[in-house]
């Protein structure tokens, strides 16, 4: 007798899903990205330290360009943080609506 034939009479047992719900998965990934944002910002703001200066003998990057770069990175980090905050608020509101519906 084959093992596949005996399984026809037994009811199928459904196992719980190993995956998270879509909303909680998105919220966790958003939280992970927000936690990495300060490290990305530190790396971006430290990048001008690697640029050549007058003492290296190569073509130096002007201080005005480095200052401009730092303020652009600073503004971009603020905007990304704002986007993360808005997205987190929308996900939280959506979860509240879903909880109220149940």
């Amino acid at each position: 007798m084959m093992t596949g034939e005996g399984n026809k009479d037994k009811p199928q047992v459904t196992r719980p899903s190993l995956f998270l719900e879509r909303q909680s998965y998105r919220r966790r990934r958003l939280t992970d990205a927000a936690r990495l944002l300060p490290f990305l910002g530190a790396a971006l703001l430290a990048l001008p330290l690697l640029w050549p200066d007058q003492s290296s003998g190569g073509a130096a990057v002007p201080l005005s360009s480095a200052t401009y770069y730092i303020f652009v990175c600073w503004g971009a980090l603020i905007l990304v943080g704002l986007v993360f905050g808005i997205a987190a608020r929308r996900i939280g509101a959506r979860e509240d609506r879903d909880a109220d519906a149940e």
Side-chain angles (χ1 to χ4, degrees):
M1 184 163 136
M2 297 179 81
T3 58
E5 295 172 4
N7 290 339
K8 291 180 183 178
D9 297 332
K10 295 180 183 179
Q12 294 290 334
V13 177
T14 58
R15 294 185 341 195
S17 176
L18 296 176
F19 298 103
L20 297 172
E21 293 180 14
R22 181 174 288 170
Q23 293 301 324
S24 62
Y25 177 79
R26 286 182 181 164
R27 186 183 70 237
R28 288 184 182 193
R29 295 298 74 84
L30 185 66
T31 303
D32 292 343
R35 286 180 181 162
L36 289 176
L37 190 61
F39 297 106
L40 174 67
L44 287 174
L45 292 176
L47 194 60
L49 296 173
L50 300 174
W51 292 349
D53 58 355
Q54 296 289 343
S55 64
S56 66
V61 176
L63 184 61
S64 61
S65 295
T67 306
Y68 179 72
Y69 170 81
I70 287 173
F71 278 107
V72 167
C73 286
W74 180 56
L77 288 169
I78 291 171
L79 289 176
V80 170
L82 180 68
V83 168
F84 281 166
I86 291 170
R89 187 175 297 159
R90 288 182 68 201
I91 289 174
R94 194 175 302 150
E95 287 177 354
D96 289 343
R97 277 185 291 171
D98 292 343
D100 291 342
E102 291 177 4

